[in-house]
Structures are given as structure tokens and as C-alpha cells.
Amino acid sequence: MARASAAERLRSVAGGAETAAPELDRLIHERVRLAIVSALAVNESLAFNELKDMLSLTDGNLSVHARKLEEAGYVQCTKTFEGRVPRTEFRLTDEGRGALGRYLDHMEAIIQAVRDR
Amino acid sequence: MIAEPAGVRRWVKHALTSQTHRPPAWGCRARAHALLCMTKHLTGDCKPRIVRTMAKIIPFRRPPEEPPLEPLHERAMDNLAFIRQTMERAGSFTAVSGWGQVVIGITGVLAAWLASRQASPENWLATWSVAAVVAMGIGVVTTGMKARAIGEPIRSGPGRKFVLSLAPPLVAGAVLTLVLFRAGMAGMLPGLWLLLYGAGIVGAGTNSVRVVPVMGFSSMLLGVAALLAPAAWGDAFMAVGFGALHVVFGTVIARRYGG
């Protein structure tokens, strides 16, 4: 009985492919984007190069993923000039913070459901 | 009537009589089929058909009753660990150089020995001031080296927080040093230094690895002890609090957190 209920709970949160797809935030689920959002969650703002070094990414890789997050409204990107050198700063929006929170809850629920079995 | 080749006729006969069905070549089989239709149904327009029967798939193993949960659960654990790791790396200042701390500690012990041999209070204070500047320089250089080695940004994010929380108590210490020294209370200085330095390290260490705030706390305790103890023990307390503590915790940091 307990086994069935745990399985049901899990299915409700992540189970079959048809329910999992809309619930799991694909945008954040991807590793690089998850790293970007996590790093920004503990820093008010990070410059492009800092983020790149911190996560050991290439320029192209970071800019592509950052743009996806920006398009979704999870990350705010401001471009300024320091003298002649352009400087790109990223910060997490409230929406992005909420998305990370939901993602964490989701992962926790999956673990909890298995642990309860 | 279709003129049937001898082969076909033989096949039809074979098909009608024998129990074992050995399929003949394709063209032969189609013609034989037409012939059979004619003989059975007396119609000429029977097109050859292939009846494809679907095989019923019976798996060797029965499918599991529930979808496999373990991989999903493990992946979730893995994801959480990844997030935590990233946050720790992005949020905490791990570039504190252990070996740098050891060198600072040795400077501290040397300074304590030198300061205890000074006759005038002015020279005593000058010795410690030089020691403080040298130690700070060593700290900045070794931390910068480690930060570069591990690819951690030092001027922003956690590094900036570290410096910003360490600086105020140090500035307060410098101001109080001047004021107390003028008031002729140099005996209180070692305790004050240890207390304030410890406070700064505790504050800054909240963004760093766990041992750093522990070191700050030990320094604060020694500072309190130094303030309560006779003023003559000041240099000894400094040797322990600024020298030995740095050596011990520096070794721990270097061993456990790489350099």
C-alpha cells in the first residue's frame, strides 16, 4: 500500500513521460544552464569572464546558454563599457530565482518519494 | 486457360498433397497461387496476395511492475549535488592560501621574538607595525597566487566579500592602536589586536571554508585571554595567537584544500 502511494506521488511529480515533460524545467535542467543559475544565485552579479572562468566554459558556450536564459527572463544581462572594453554583467531575476527554487523542490520531491518507499 | 509451366503444375501438386510446405521461388509461387484460385474458386481474376501474419511478441522477461525509479532518483541526487557544488564554488572564497598562512605565522613568531627584545614602547609598536604590513603583503600575494591557480575571481564575488568583511575590524584596530598607544595603554594592544583580527576572520570566513572562521574564533578567545592576563605576557600571546594559530590552521588548509 505504502509502496503504491509512494509510486503515485512520484508519478505525480515526475513519473510518466507525458507528465514529466511540462513539469520539469528543461531550461534549467541542462547542466551548463543549471551551473549558471546556481552560480548567480549566490552572487549578486557576475561578469561574463568571471562566470566563464568559474564554470570553465568557452566564450561561445557561455554566451549561447546565457542568451537562452535571458530570453526566458531568468537572467538579466547588462552591457557596459569600461573605457573601451565592453563588460557584460549577469544577474539572476526574481523569475530565475523562482525557477531554481521550483527545480530544487522538484528534485527533492523525487528523492523523498524514493526514500519513502 | 493460363498456360502453366511444368514447374508450377508440379508445385501445385506438391502443395496439395504434401504436408511439408517448402516455399518455392517468388515468381513461381505467385503463378501457383493464381492457378490454385482458379482451380478452387473458378475465377480468373484472383490477384496474388501475400498474407502477412503479425508475429505475437512474447518477451522472455516480464516487464517490471513499476517504472525503474532508481536512475531517476540517482539523477536527482546527482543534480542536487551539482547545484550545491556550484554554489559553494561560486559563493565561497576558497583561495585562502594555506602555505601563505604558515609563512604569516612564522613572521608572527619572529616578530614576537623581536618585539620582546625592544626596550622602548615606540620600537615595540614599530616592530609589530612592520610585521603587520609584511604579513598583509604575504597574505595578498599568496592568496592571489592561489586564486590564479584555481581560476577563482578575486576582485568580485566571494573574494570581494572576504576583503570587505575583513577590512573594517582591521581599520578599527589600527585606529584604536593609535588612540590607546597615545593614552599610554600599549599593554592592552596585543589582546585588542587578536580580538579584532579574530572578529574580522570570523566575519570573512563565513564565505570561506569552515576552518577559517574556526581560526578567527580561536584568535578571538586568545585576545580575550590576553586582555585579562598581565600586560607583560602580550608578546607571548601574540606569538601563539598570530604565529602558532596561523601555522596550525595554514597547515590544515593546505593539506585539506590544496595549497
Side-chain angles (χ1 to χ4, degrees), chain B residues 43-75:
Chain B
T43 57
D45 60 345
C46 179
K47 292 191 184 91
R49 270 173 312 203
I50 311 159
V51 182
R52 291 183 195 188
T53 50
M54 297 283 281
K56 194 181 173 195
I57 298 167
I58 305 162
F60 290 120
R61 271 183 294 178
R62 292 179 62 199
E65 287 170 14
E66 283 178 34
L69 298 177
E70 244 53 57
L72 189 67
H73 155 249
E74 262 164 35
R75 244 186 4 231

PDB file of all heavy atoms in Angstrom, chain B residues 43-75:
ATOM      1  N   THR B  43     -12.456 -18.691 -60.654  1.00  0.00           N
ATOM      2  CA  THR B  43     -12.348 -17.298 -61.104  1.00  0.00           C
ATOM      3  C   THR B  43     -10.966 -17.079 -61.679  1.00  0.00           C
ATOM      4  O   THR B  43      -9.996 -17.693 -61.257  1.00  0.00           O
ATOM      5  CB  THR B  43     -12.532 -16.295 -59.963  1.00  0.00           C
ATOM      6  OG1 THR B  43     -11.571 -16.584 -58.959  1.00  0.00           O
ATOM      7  CG2 THR B  43     -13.909 -16.334 -59.394  1.00  0.00           C
ATOM      8  N   GLY B  44     -10.908 -16.144 -62.630  1.00  0.00           N
ATOM      9  CA  GLY B  44      -9.636 -15.898 -63.273  1.00  0.00           C
ATOM     10  C   GLY B  44      -8.901 -14.692 -62.734  1.00  0.00           C
ATOM     11  O   GLY B  44      -7.719 -14.543 -62.924  1.00  0.00           O
ATOM     12  N   ASP B  45      -9.685 -13.787 -62.030  1.00  0.00           N
ATOM     13  CA  ASP B  45      -9.060 -12.512 -61.661  1.00  0.00           C
ATOM     14  C   ASP B  45      -8.548 -12.507 -60.211  1.00  0.00           C
ATOM     15  O   ASP B  45      -8.719 -11.588 -59.489  1.00  0.00           O
ATOM     16  CB  ASP B  45     -10.032 -11.372 -61.878  1.00  0.00           C
ATOM     17  CG  ASP B  45     -11.285 -11.549 -61.031  1.00  0.00           C
ATOM     18  OD1 ASP B  45     -11.510 -12.696 -60.503  1.00  0.00           O
ATOM     19  OD2 ASP B  45     -12.025 -10.575 -60.862  1.00  0.00           O
ATOM     20  N   CYS B  46      -8.035 -13.556 -59.843  1.00  0.00           N
ATOM     21  CA  CYS B  46      -7.521 -13.628 -58.477  1.00  0.00           C
ATOM     22  C   CYS B  46      -6.085 -13.125 -58.455  1.00  0.00           C
ATOM     23  O   CYS B  46      -5.216 -13.714 -59.060  1.00  0.00           O
ATOM     24  CB  CYS B  46      -7.591 -15.071 -57.992  1.00  0.00           C
ATOM     25  SG  CYS B  46      -6.963 -15.254 -56.351  1.00  0.00           S
ATOM     26  N   LYS B  47      -5.919 -11.989 -57.796  1.00  0.00           N
ATOM     27  CA  LYS B  47      -4.571 -11.431 -57.744  1.00  0.00           C
ATOM     28  C   LYS B  47      -3.773 -12.142 -56.658  1.00  0.00           C
ATOM     29  O   LYS B  47      -4.305 -12.461 -55.600  1.00  0.00           O
ATOM     30  CB  LYS B  47      -4.630  -9.930 -57.416  1.00  0.00           C
ATOM     31  CG  LYS B  47      -5.246  -9.132 -58.542  1.00  0.00           C
ATOM     32  CD  LYS B  47      -5.042  -7.659 -58.318  1.00  0.00           C
ATOM     33  CE  LYS B  47      -5.752  -6.872 -59.394  1.00  0.00           C
ATOM     34  NZ  LYS B  47      -7.132  -6.527 -59.014  1.00  0.00           N
ATOM     35  N   PRO B  48      -2.522 -12.331 -56.933  1.00  0.00           N
ATOM     36  CA  PRO B  48      -1.716 -12.989 -55.893  1.00  0.00           C
ATOM     37  C   PRO B  48      -1.600 -12.087 -54.654  1.00  0.00           C
ATOM     38  O   PRO B  48      -1.393 -10.891 -54.781  1.00  0.00           O
ATOM     39  CB  PRO B  48      -0.357 -13.173 -56.561  1.00  0.00           C
ATOM     40  CG  PRO B  48      -0.334 -12.257 -57.705  1.00  0.00           C
ATOM     41  CD  PRO B  48      -1.756 -12.052 -58.135  1.00  0.00           C
ATOM     42  N   ARG B  49      -1.797 -12.664 -53.576  1.00  0.00           N
ATOM     43  CA  ARG B  49      -1.728 -11.881 -52.340  1.00  0.00           C
ATOM     44  C   ARG B  49      -0.713 -12.502 -51.390  1.00  0.00           C
ATOM     45  O   ARG B  49      -0.502 -13.717 -51.408  1.00  0.00           O
ATOM     46  CB  ARG B  49      -3.092 -11.876 -51.662  1.00  0.00           C
ATOM     47  CG  ARG B  49      -3.961 -10.749 -52.104  1.00  0.00           C
ATOM     48  CD  ARG B  49      -5.315 -10.941 -51.511  1.00  0.00           C
ATOM     49  NE  ARG B  49      -5.754 -12.324 -51.741  1.00  0.00           N
ATOM     50  CZ  ARG B  49      -7.030 -12.686 -51.740  1.00  0.00           C
ATOM     51  NH1 ARG B  49      -7.962 -11.785 -51.523  1.00  0.00           N
ATOM     52  NH2 ARG B  49      -7.375 -13.922 -51.930  1.00  0.00           N
ATOM     53  N   ILE B  50      -0.155 -11.639 -50.647  1.00  0.00           N
ATOM     54  CA  ILE B  50       0.744 -12.141 -49.618  1.00  0.00           C
ATOM     55  C   ILE B  50       0.065 -11.891 -48.294  1.00  0.00           C
ATOM     56  O   ILE B  50      -0.325 -10.767 -47.986  1.00  0.00           O
ATOM     57  CB  ILE B  50       2.083 -11.398 -49.632  1.00  0.00           C
ATOM     58  CG1 ILE B  50       2.630 -11.346 -51.055  1.00  0.00           C
ATOM     59  CG2 ILE B  50       3.071 -12.055 -48.696  1.00  0.00           C
ATOM     60  CD1 ILE B  50       3.629 -10.258 -51.228  1.00  0.00           C
ATOM     61  N   VAL B  51      -0.110 -12.885 -47.575  1.00  0.00           N
ATOM     62  CA  VAL B  51      -0.725 -12.718 -46.259  1.00  0.00           C
ATOM     63  C   VAL B  51       0.388 -12.584 -45.237  1.00  0.00           C
ATOM     64  O   VAL B  51       1.208 -13.489 -45.084  1.00  0.00           O
ATOM     65  CB  VAL B  51      -1.632 -13.921 -45.918  1.00  0.00           C
ATOM     66  CG1 VAL B  51      -2.298 -13.687 -44.573  1.00  0.00           C
ATOM     67  CG2 VAL B  51      -2.637 -14.124 -47.019  1.00  0.00           C
ATOM     68  N   ARG B  52       0.420 -11.428 -44.658  1.00  0.00           N
ATOM     69  CA  ARG B  52       1.479 -11.252 -43.645  1.00  0.00           C
ATOM     70  C   ARG B  52       0.846 -11.405 -42.278  1.00  0.00           C
ATOM     71  O   ARG B  52       0.036 -10.588 -41.860  1.00  0.00           O
ATOM     72  CB  ARG B  52       2.085  -9.858 -43.752  1.00  0.00           C
ATOM     73  CG  ARG B  52       2.863  -9.724 -45.029  1.00  0.00           C
ATOM     74  CD  ARG B  52       3.501  -8.400 -45.106  1.00  0.00           C
ATOM     75  NE  ARG B  52       3.923  -8.212 -46.474  1.00  0.00           N
ATOM     76  CZ  ARG B  52       4.673  -7.205 -46.885  1.00  0.00           C
ATOM     77  NH1 ARG B  52       5.049  -6.317 -46.018  1.00  0.00           N
ATOM     78  NH2 ARG B  52       5.033  -7.102 -48.124  1.00  0.00           N
ATOM     79  N   THR B  53       1.246 -12.383 -41.630  1.00  0.00           N
ATOM     80  CA  THR B  53       0.730 -12.549 -40.277  1.00  0.00           C
ATOM     81  C   THR B  53       1.687 -11.867 -39.310  1.00  0.00           C
ATOM     82  O   THR B  53       2.900 -11.991 -39.462  1.00  0.00           O
ATOM     83  CB  THR B  53       0.591 -14.020 -39.914  1.00  0.00           C
ATOM     84  OG1 THR B  53       1.827 -14.647 -40.231  1.00  0.00           O
ATOM     85  CG2 THR B  53      -0.520 -14.684 -40.657  1.00  0.00           C
ATOM     86  N   MET B  54       1.117 -11.148 -38.389  1.00  0.00           N
ATOM     87  CA  MET B  54       1.953 -10.482 -37.395  1.00  0.00           C
ATOM     88  C   MET B  54       2.376 -11.488 -36.339  1.00  0.00           C
ATOM     89  O   MET B  54       1.551 -12.216 -35.792  1.00  0.00           O
ATOM     90  CB  MET B  54       1.173  -9.358 -36.704  1.00  0.00           C
ATOM     91  CG  MET B  54       0.756  -8.273 -37.648  1.00  0.00           C
ATOM     92  SD  MET B  54       2.132  -7.208 -38.039  1.00  0.00           S
ATOM     93  CE  MET B  54       2.151  -6.202 -36.583  1.00  0.00           C
ATOM     94  N   ALA B  55       3.657 -11.471 -36.065  1.00  0.00           N
ATOM     95  CA  ALA B  55       4.129 -12.368 -35.018  1.00  0.00           C
ATOM     96  C   ALA B  55       3.744 -11.780 -33.670  1.00  0.00           C
ATOM     97  O   ALA B  55       3.813 -10.576 -33.462  1.00  0.00           O
ATOM     98  CB  ALA B  55       5.633 -12.519 -35.112  1.00  0.00           C
ATOM     99  N   LYS B  56       3.309 -12.610 -32.791  1.00  0.00           N
ATOM    100  CA  LYS B  56       2.979 -12.130 -31.452  1.00  0.00           C
ATOM    101  C   LYS B  56       4.277 -12.083 -30.652  1.00  0.00           C
ATOM    102  O   LYS B  56       4.993 -13.085 -30.575  1.00  0.00           O
ATOM    103  CB  LYS B  56       1.966 -13.075 -30.803  1.00  0.00           C
ATOM    104  CG  LYS B  56       1.342 -12.462 -29.590  1.00  0.00           C
ATOM    105  CD  LYS B  56       0.358 -13.427 -28.966  1.00  0.00           C
ATOM    106  CE  LYS B  56      -0.136 -12.871 -27.642  1.00  0.00           C
ATOM    107  NZ  LYS B  56      -0.797 -13.914 -26.872  1.00  0.00           N
ATOM    108  N   ILE B  57       4.534 -10.923 -30.108  1.00  0.00           N
ATOM    109  CA  ILE B  57       5.805 -10.785 -29.388  1.00  0.00           C
ATOM    110  C   ILE B  57       5.620 -11.198 -27.943  1.00  0.00           C
ATOM    111  O   ILE B  57       4.831 -10.598 -27.208  1.00  0.00           O
ATOM    112  CB  ILE B  57       6.317  -9.341 -29.458  1.00  0.00           C
ATOM    113  CG1 ILE B  57       6.573  -8.983 -30.930  1.00  0.00           C
ATOM    114  CG2 ILE B  57       7.575  -9.167 -28.629  1.00  0.00           C
ATOM    115  CD1 ILE B  57       6.774  -7.537 -31.163  1.00  0.00           C
ATOM    116  N   ILE B  58       6.317 -12.214 -27.572  1.00  0.00           N
ATOM    117  CA  ILE B  58       6.280 -12.624 -26.169  1.00  0.00           C
ATOM    118  C   ILE B  58       7.671 -12.414 -25.588  1.00  0.00           C
ATOM    119  O   ILE B  58       8.615 -13.108 -25.960  1.00  0.00           O
ATOM    120  CB  ILE B  58       5.880 -14.108 -26.032  1.00  0.00           C
ATOM    121  CG1 ILE B  58       4.545 -14.322 -26.758  1.00  0.00           C
ATOM    122  CG2 ILE B  58       5.797 -14.523 -24.583  1.00  0.00           C
ATOM    123  CD1 ILE B  58       4.259 -15.752 -27.058  1.00  0.00           C
ATOM    124  N   PRO B  59       7.818 -11.419 -24.747  1.00  0.00           N
ATOM    125  CA  PRO B  59       9.161 -11.163 -24.204  1.00  0.00           C
ATOM    126  C   PRO B  59       9.608 -12.291 -23.280  1.00  0.00           C
ATOM    127  O   PRO B  59       8.781 -12.934 -22.636  1.00  0.00           O
ATOM    128  CB  PRO B  59       8.990  -9.855 -23.438  1.00  0.00           C
ATOM    129  CG  PRO B  59       7.554  -9.771 -23.136  1.00  0.00           C
ATOM    130  CD  PRO B  59       6.820 -10.500 -24.208  1.00  0.00           C
ATOM    131  N   PHE B  60      10.901 -12.483 -23.266  1.00  0.00           N
ATOM    132  CA  PHE B  60      11.453 -13.523 -22.401  1.00  0.00           C
ATOM    133  C   PHE B  60      11.252 -13.156 -20.937  1.00  0.00           C
ATOM    134  O   PHE B  60      10.901 -13.978 -20.112  1.00  0.00           O
ATOM    135  CB  PHE B  60      12.942 -13.715 -22.669  1.00  0.00           C
ATOM    136  CG  PHE B  60      13.202 -14.337 -23.989  1.00  0.00           C
ATOM    137  CD1 PHE B  60      13.947 -13.675 -24.943  1.00  0.00           C
ATOM    138  CD2 PHE B  60      12.684 -15.579 -24.281  1.00  0.00           C
ATOM    139  CE1 PHE B  60      14.188 -14.235 -26.157  1.00  0.00           C
ATOM    140  CE2 PHE B  60      12.914 -16.164 -25.509  1.00  0.00           C
ATOM    141  CZ  PHE B  60      13.671 -15.494 -26.455  1.00  0.00           C
ATOM    142  N   ARG B  61      11.528 -11.875 -20.660  1.00  0.00           N
ATOM    143  CA  ARG B  61      11.375 -11.423 -19.274  1.00  0.00           C
ATOM    144  C   ARG B  61      10.122 -10.603 -19.169  1.00  0.00           C
ATOM    145  O   ARG B  61       9.815  -9.807 -20.071  1.00  0.00           O
ATOM    146  CB  ARG B  61      12.568 -10.568 -18.863  1.00  0.00           C
ATOM    147  CG  ARG B  61      13.674 -11.397 -18.292  1.00  0.00           C
ATOM    148  CD  ARG B  61      14.777 -10.496 -17.838  1.00  0.00           C
ATOM    149  NE  ARG B  61      15.406  -9.811 -18.953  1.00  0.00           N
ATOM    150  CZ  ARG B  61      16.368  -8.932 -18.799  1.00  0.00           C
ATOM    151  NH1 ARG B  61      16.797  -8.635 -17.612  1.00  0.00           N
ATOM    152  NH2 ARG B  61      16.912  -8.339 -19.849  1.00  0.00           N
ATOM    153  N   ARG B  62       9.438 -10.723 -18.079  1.00  0.00           N
ATOM    154  CA  ARG B  62       8.249  -9.897 -17.897  1.00  0.00           C
ATOM    155  C   ARG B  62       8.677  -8.479 -17.558  1.00  0.00           C
ATOM    156  O   ARG B  62       9.647  -8.272 -16.851  1.00  0.00           O
ATOM    157  CB  ARG B  62       7.394 -10.470 -16.773  1.00  0.00           C
ATOM    158  CG  ARG B  62       6.790 -11.812 -17.171  1.00  0.00           C
ATOM    159  CD  ARG B  62       5.973 -12.382 -16.058  1.00  0.00           C
ATOM    160  NE  ARG B  62       4.846 -11.522 -15.711  1.00  0.00           N
ATOM    161  CZ  ARG B  62       4.214 -11.611 -14.539  1.00  0.00           C
ATOM    162  NH1 ARG B  62       4.609 -12.471 -13.640  1.00  0.00           N
ATOM    163  NH2 ARG B  62       3.185 -10.835 -14.289  1.00  0.00           N
ATOM    164  N   PRO B  63       7.942  -7.493 -18.067  1.00  0.00           N
ATOM    165  CA  PRO B  63       8.319  -6.105 -17.756  1.00  0.00           C
ATOM    166  C   PRO B  63       8.144  -5.829 -16.269  1.00  0.00           C
ATOM    167  O   PRO B  63       7.257  -6.404 -15.634  1.00  0.00           O
ATOM    168  CB  PRO B  63       7.334  -5.273 -18.595  1.00  0.00           C
ATOM    169  CG  PRO B  63       6.194  -6.185 -18.873  1.00  0.00           C
ATOM    170  CD  PRO B  63       6.741  -7.580 -18.916  1.00  0.00           C
ATOM    171  N   PRO B  64       8.955  -4.935 -15.712  1.00  0.00           N
ATOM    172  CA  PRO B  64       8.829  -4.635 -14.283  1.00  0.00           C
ATOM    173  C   PRO B  64       7.489  -3.991 -14.004  1.00  0.00           C
ATOM    174  O   PRO B  64       6.923  -3.293 -14.847  1.00  0.00           O
ATOM    175  CB  PRO B  64       9.980  -3.669 -14.021  1.00  0.00           C
ATOM    176  CG  PRO B  64      10.338  -3.116 -15.349  1.00  0.00           C
ATOM    177  CD  PRO B  64      10.034  -4.176 -16.346  1.00  0.00           C
ATOM    178  N   GLU B  65       6.996  -4.204 -12.786  1.00  0.00           N
ATOM    179  CA  GLU B  65       5.668  -3.694 -12.453  1.00  0.00           C
ATOM    180  C   GLU B  65       5.647  -2.177 -12.393  1.00  0.00           C
ATOM    181  O   GLU B  65       4.693  -1.527 -12.768  1.00  0.00           O
ATOM    182  CB  GLU B  65       5.224  -4.264 -11.111  1.00  0.00           C
ATOM    183  CG  GLU B  65       4.850  -5.734 -11.233  1.00  0.00           C
ATOM    184  CD  GLU B  65       4.635  -6.360  -9.875  1.00  0.00           C
ATOM    185  OE1 GLU B  65       4.525  -5.614  -8.892  1.00  0.00           O
ATOM    186  OE2 GLU B  65       4.596  -7.593  -9.816  1.00  0.00           O
ATOM    187  N   GLU B  66       6.750  -1.600 -11.859  1.00  0.00           N
ATOM    188  CA  GLU B  66       6.825  -0.139 -11.769  1.00  0.00           C
ATOM    189  C   GLU B  66       7.915   0.348 -12.696  1.00  0.00           C
ATOM    190  O   GLU B  66       8.836  -0.379 -13.001  1.00  0.00           O
ATOM    191  CB  GLU B  66       7.193   0.273 -10.346  1.00  0.00           C
ATOM    192  CG  GLU B  66       6.038   0.174  -9.404  1.00  0.00           C
ATOM    193  CD  GLU B  66       6.470   0.547  -8.004  1.00  0.00           C
ATOM    194  OE1 GLU B  66       7.327   1.421  -7.864  1.00  0.00           O
ATOM    195  OE2 GLU B  66       5.967  -0.075  -7.080  1.00  0.00           O
ATOM    196  N   PRO B  67       7.794   1.587 -13.124  1.00  0.00           N
ATOM    197  CA  PRO B  67       8.903   2.124 -13.918  1.00  0.00           C
ATOM    198  C   PRO B  67      10.164   2.174 -13.047  1.00  0.00           C
ATOM    199  O   PRO B  67      10.065   2.378 -11.833  1.00  0.00           O
ATOM    200  CB  PRO B  67       8.437   3.541 -14.276  1.00  0.00           C
ATOM    201  CG  PRO B  67       7.389   3.871 -13.281  1.00  0.00           C
ATOM    202  CD  PRO B  67       6.736   2.572 -12.925  1.00  0.00           C
ATOM    203  N   PRO B  68      11.317   1.999 -13.627  1.00  0.00           N
ATOM    204  CA  PRO B  68      12.536   1.993 -12.831  1.00  0.00           C
ATOM    205  C   PRO B  68      12.755   3.348 -12.159  1.00  0.00           C
ATOM    206  O   PRO B  68      12.865   4.356 -12.824  1.00  0.00           O
ATOM    207  CB  PRO B  68      13.636   1.697 -13.852  1.00  0.00           C
ATOM    208  CG  PRO B  68      13.049   2.026 -15.168  1.00  0.00           C
ATOM    209  CD  PRO B  68      11.578   1.808 -15.053  1.00  0.00           C
ATOM    210  N   LEU B  69      12.753   3.358 -10.830  1.00  0.00           N
ATOM    211  CA  LEU B  69      12.819   4.624 -10.109  1.00  0.00           C
ATOM    212  C   LEU B  69      14.250   5.015  -9.766  1.00  0.00           C
ATOM    213  O   LEU B  69      14.566   6.173  -9.677  1.00  0.00           O
ATOM    214  CB  LEU B  69      12.028   4.505  -8.811  1.00  0.00           C
ATOM    215  CG  LEU B  69      10.546   4.225  -8.987  1.00  0.00           C
ATOM    216  CD1 LEU B  69       9.882   4.046  -7.647  1.00  0.00           C
ATOM    217  CD2 LEU B  69       9.882   5.365  -9.743  1.00  0.00           C
ATOM    218  N   GLU B  70      15.094   4.008  -9.595  1.00  0.00           N
ATOM    219  CA  GLU B  70      16.443   4.291  -9.086  1.00  0.00           C
ATOM    220  C   GLU B  70      17.222   5.292  -9.939  1.00  0.00           C
ATOM    221  O   GLU B  70      17.769   6.235  -9.397  1.00  0.00           O
ATOM    222  CB  GLU B  70      17.225   2.987  -8.928  1.00  0.00           C
ATOM    223  CG  GLU B  70      17.578   2.689  -7.499  1.00  0.00           C
ATOM    224  CD  GLU B  70      16.378   2.723  -6.566  1.00  0.00           C
ATOM    225  OE1 GLU B  70      15.407   1.985  -6.788  1.00  0.00           O
ATOM    226  OE2 GLU B  70      16.421   3.507  -5.619  1.00  0.00           O
ATOM    227  N   PRO B  71      17.253   5.111 -11.241  1.00  0.00           N
ATOM    228  CA  PRO B  71      18.036   6.052 -12.030  1.00  0.00           C
ATOM    229  C   PRO B  71      17.542   7.487 -11.884  1.00  0.00           C
ATOM    230  O   PRO B  71      18.327   8.396 -11.715  1.00  0.00           O
ATOM    231  CB  PRO B  71      17.839   5.557 -13.461  1.00  0.00           C
ATOM    232  CG  PRO B  71      17.488   4.147 -13.320  1.00  0.00           C
ATOM    233  CD  PRO B  71      16.716   4.036 -12.047  1.00  0.00           C
ATOM    234  N   LEU B  72      16.235   7.664 -11.889  1.00  0.00           N
ATOM    235  CA  LEU B  72      15.647   8.994 -11.750  1.00  0.00           C
ATOM    236  C   LEU B  72      16.056   9.604 -10.425  1.00  0.00           C
ATOM    237  O   LEU B  72      16.480  10.754 -10.342  1.00  0.00           O
ATOM    238  CB  LEU B  72      14.117   8.858 -11.835  1.00  0.00           C
ATOM    239  CG  LEU B  72      13.340  10.151 -11.921  1.00  0.00           C
ATOM    240  CD1 LEU B  72      13.618  10.837 -13.220  1.00  0.00           C
ATOM    241  CD2 LEU B  72      11.861   9.875 -11.762  1.00  0.00           C
ATOM    242  N   HIS B  73      15.953   8.798  -9.401  1.00  0.00           N
ATOM    243  CA  HIS B  73      16.279   9.257  -8.056  1.00  0.00           C
ATOM    244  C   HIS B  73      17.757   9.587  -7.948  1.00  0.00           C
ATOM    245  O   HIS B  73      18.147  10.608  -7.395  1.00  0.00           O
ATOM    246  CB  HIS B  73      15.837   8.153  -7.094  1.00  0.00           C
ATOM    247  CG  HIS B  73      16.555   8.115  -5.806  1.00  0.00           C
ATOM    248  ND1 HIS B  73      17.419   7.104  -5.490  1.00  0.00           N
ATOM    249  CD2 HIS B  73      16.546   8.960  -4.766  1.00  0.00           C
ATOM    250  CE1 HIS B  73      17.910   7.342  -4.291  1.00  0.00           C
ATOM    251  NE2 HIS B  73      17.406   8.454  -3.825  1.00  0.00           N
ATOM    252  N   GLU B  74      18.562   8.727  -8.557  1.00  0.00           N
ATOM    253  CA  GLU B  74      20.003   8.987  -8.511  1.00  0.00           C
ATOM    254  C   GLU B  74      20.355  10.245  -9.291  1.00  0.00           C
ATOM    255  O   GLU B  74      21.233  11.006  -8.892  1.00  0.00           O
ATOM    256  CB  GLU B  74      20.765   7.800  -9.095  1.00  0.00           C
ATOM    257  CG  GLU B  74      21.268   6.878  -8.005  1.00  0.00           C
ATOM    258  CD  GLU B  74      21.675   5.541  -8.553  1.00  0.00           C
ATOM    259  OE1 GLU B  74      22.197   5.488  -9.678  1.00  0.00           O
ATOM    260  OE2 GLU B  74      21.451   4.538  -7.856  1.00  0.00           O
ATOM    261  N   ARG B  75      19.655  10.424 -10.399  1.00  0.00           N
ATOM    262  CA  ARG B  75      19.931  11.612 -11.184  1.00  0.00           C
ATOM    263  C   ARG B  75      19.551  12.866 -10.415  1.00  0.00           C
ATOM    264  O   ARG B  75      20.237  13.884 -10.473  1.00  0.00           O
ATOM    265  CB  ARG B  75      19.167  11.553 -12.500  1.00  0.00           C
ATOM    266  CG  ARG B  75      20.131  11.498 -13.653  1.00  0.00           C
ATOM    267  CD  ARG B  75      19.521  11.580 -15.008  1.00  0.00           C
ATOM    268  NE  ARG B  75      18.121  11.790 -15.118  1.00  0.00           N
ATOM    269  CZ  ARG B  75      17.317  11.053 -15.857  1.00  0.00           C
ATOM    270  NH1 ARG B  75      17.798  10.020 -16.493  1.00  0.00           N
ATOM    271  NH2 ARG B  75      16.049  11.330 -15.961  1.00  0.00           N
TER     272      ARG B  75
END
